[in-house]
Amino acid sequence: MANVVVVGGQWGDEGKGKVVDLLCPAFRHVVRFNGGNNAGHTVRFADRHFALHLIPSGILHENCQCFIGPGVVVDPVGLLREIEALETQGIPVRHRLYLSPRAHLVLPHHRALDQARERAKGRERIGTTGRGIGPTYETRAARTGLRAGLARHPGRLRQRAEALTAELNRQLTTYPEAQLPSPDELLQALDCAERLSHFLAPVDQRLHRAWKQAEAILFEGAQGTLLDVDFGTYPFVTSSGCLAGFAAPAVGLPARAIDGVLGVFKAYCTRVGAGPFPTEIPDALGDQIRRRGNEFGTTTGRPRRTGWFDAVAGRAAVRWSGIEAIALTKLDVLDSLATVPVAVAYRLGDRVMEELPDDAEELAQAQPVYEELPGWQTETTGITDFSALPARAQAYVHRLEELLGVPIVLISTGPRREETILRSLPPLTHWLPS
């Protein structure tokens, strides 16, 4: 069995939750390796709807053991609520979810600092979710953070929390409008961390044993390639590594443990928050796509900016993560359009560029060079056979394959698990459930 990484190929919100959910029957272990509860994965099947934030989508499959790795930052209040919500819905979580003691904890003071900074930036704000993710990664890098494993030692946990929150409070007082979290908020977070101690386990050891025993592992990425802290549209990025090559080392496995990389792309593009977005559709058509695609954040509810498919950015994502196959989501959202533009290059002044600039200001000034493809103007929702798609929809899929240089093996034609086309493209079919 193959060990596969699933990563977003755009700015996040590509539909990774549904794709991971579809792949889970072929895997024994599913691990989240980056980000925090600033990410959200939505899974729908039959008449059920689940919104996941920290727990891997594999939790909805009883055959899967689920892991939260050391590279994830964990809001203990949020994680405990997520566990309780799933159990209320009849999903067994205990004895199937394992939390690395090396994962860092998000405290109320991290959130307060995140929000205070965003307010102070005014029109220059990045557009974070305000969940404290960036400040938590900062304290991790500064070696002052709280690891989840401290929950096994309540006295040490509280002592270290006092020192950390004192430092964060000093930073918060530099922002006149900042509100310091109350002692009760901190006590709630620490109490939840202690209650999560039952889920602590040596994630790296368990996954290494699984790898050696040839038990298939699925690595579930959060956010998207273009939000990677190094290769994304910096500074309008997240605070963790989003590339596939980050997945195995982030959970204590060697890089050679990865057998394949599946990239998830929408049939168009979306972006949440600030930052350059060359193919953005700012007019009523953009709003129409937003409403038809239900483009509102799983975690925050914020409306997403919408745009046409960007093959320049897509090629960069394929290269950076070594994407070998693609899952294309929300094809049905484009059903009503007479034409569907795809950006094949950028124009910056008198230059035509076929590569993504490394400077966000340059990218913001770039004008997309579009190739206009004919729309199919036929309903595709719920189609499960590629040959049943309208000819122009098939042509659109084939053109994206040509532009990205990677086969599209899965096509989503609706939000539910059942509304999916699985294409037979050996030798990649061993990734897909039967």
Side-chain angles (χ1 to χ4, degrees):
M1 297 297 292
N3 298 327
V4 174
V5 185
V6 174
V7 292
Q10 296 160 320
W11 282 279
D13 306 309
E14 301 94 347
K16 295 182 293 296
K18 174 179 176 175
V19 173
V20 170
D21 173 65
L22 282 164
L23 295 176
C24 279
F27 293 86
R28 180 76 179 101
H29 309 277
V30 184
V31 55
R32 170 80 177 273
F33 64 86
N34 71 320
N37 65 340
N38 56 335
H41 290 168
T42 301
V43 178
R44 293 184 177 92
F45 55 90
D47 60 348
R48 307 198 71 183
H49 177 191
F50 298 90
L52 303 169
H53 304 279
L54 282 163
I55 299 175
S57 303
I59 203 69
L60 304 177
H61 296 261
E62 292 189 13
N63 65 296
C64 289
Q65 299 291 303
C66 295
F67 301 85
I68 298 174
V72 180
V73 292
V74 175
D75 182 329
V77 178
L79 179 54
L80 197 61
R81 285 176 179 165
E82 196 171 332
I83 291 168
E84 292 171 348
L86 284 169
E87 291 182 332
T88 299
Q89 292 175 281
I91 305 298
V93 177
R94 296 169 200 277
H95 310 299
R96 294 182 53 231
L97 177 67
Y98 303 98
L99 171 63
S100 171
R102 292 180 167 88
H104 276 246
L105 298 177
V106 180
L107 297 183
H109 299 68
H110 290 118
R111 290 197 301 276
L113 183 57
D114 194 0
Q115 294 163 15
R117 285 174 174 170
E118 280 288 276
R119 284 194 297 269
K121 289 174 182 173
R123 296 180 63 182
E124 301 299 318
R125 63 173 60 93
I126 291 173
T128 76
T129 60
R131 299 298 175 94
I133 307 304
T136 306
Y137 277 114
E138 287 176 35
T139 53
R140 184 182 81 153
R143 295 163 293 180
T144 58
L146 294 183
R147 281 178 154 186
L150 282 172
R152 296 174 298 202
H153 312 284
R156 286 171 53 198
L157 173 68
R158 291 168 191 269
Q159 182 181 20
R160 292 281 298 277
E162 287 177 9
L164 174 58
T165 54
E167 171 59 29
L168 293 172
N169 280 341
R170 282 192 288 272
Q171 295 183 51
L172 279 165
T173 55
T174 65
Y175 298 96
E177 296 182 3
Q179 293 185 339
L180 301 184
S182 69
D184 285 345
E185 289 178 86
L186 177 60
L187 287 175
Q188 180 191 22
L190 298 180
D191 177 65
C192 288
E194 291 173 22
R195 292 169 64 188
L196 288 171
S197 63
H198 301 293
F199 295 91
L200 294 173
V203 166
D204 59 320
Q205 296 173 33
R206 292 189 179 216
L207 289 174
H208 190 271
R209 185 162 58 246
W211 175 53
K212 286 297 186 181
Q213 294 173 352
E215 296 176 356
I217 304 169
L218 185 61
F219 298 81
E220 179 177 342
Q223 283 89 37
T225 298
L226 302 178
L227 294 177
D228 179 79
V229 68
D230 293 311
F231 286 90
T233 53
Y234 190 90
F236 303 97
V237 294
T238 193
S239 298
S240 62
C242 301
L243 306 188
F246 181 71
V251 299
L253 289 174
R256 68 181 185 276
I258 302 301
D259 298 308
V261 181
L262 178 69
V264 186
F265 291 79
K266 273 180 186 160
Y268 51 99
C269 283
T270 61
R271 178 164 196 165
V272 173
F277 190 8
T279 65
E280 185 169 12
I281 312 168
D283 55 20
L285 181 55
D287 187 55
Q288 175 187 322
I289 292 173
R290 180 181 303 109
R291 285 184 278 105
R292 181 170 170 85
N294 192 30
E295 296 297 353
F296 300 90
T298 302
T299 295
T300 64
R302 290 186 296 178
R304 299 171 184 146
R305 299 154 67 191
T306 57
W308 302 118
F309 193 93
D310 188 335
V312 181
R315 284 193 297 269
V318 166
R319 185 174 71 250
W320 292 332
S321 276
I323 292 170
E324 300 165 79
I326 288 173
L328 187 70
T329 63
K330 297 200 173 184
L331 183 68
D332 56 300
V333 174
L334 305 178
D335 283 351
S336 65
L337 303 180
T339 59
V340 185
V342 175
V344 296
Y346 300 146
R347 192 179 301 279
L348 188 61
D350 58 358
R351 288 186 295 156
V352 175
M353 310 166 63
E354 294 187 354
E355 295 291 341
L356 195 71
D358 58 34
D359 184 277
E361 290 189 18
E362 271 197 8
L363 184 59
Q365 295 167 16
Q367 297 299 312
V369 177
Y370 285 118
E371 180 177 310
E372 298 277 347
L373 299 176
W376 42 97
Q377 294 185 293
T378 303
E379 188 74 20
T380 64
T381 303
I383 290 178
T384 59
D385 187 329
F386 186 74
S387 64
L389 286 175
R392 288 180 174 178
Q394 293 184 40
Y396 182 72
V397 172
H398 288 312
R399 184 58 180 141
L400 295 187
E401 289 179 317
E402 292 170 358
L403 289 167
L404 299 178
V406 179
I408 294 173
V409 300
L410 184 154
I411 302 168
S412 174
T413 57
R416 295 197 304 275
R417 182 190 288 170
E418 300 86 356
E419 296 172 318
T420 307
I421 297 169
L422 299 179
R423 299 176 71 195
S424 179
L425 292 169
L428 302 174
T429 48
H430 65 284
W431 294 2
L432 303 175
S434 58

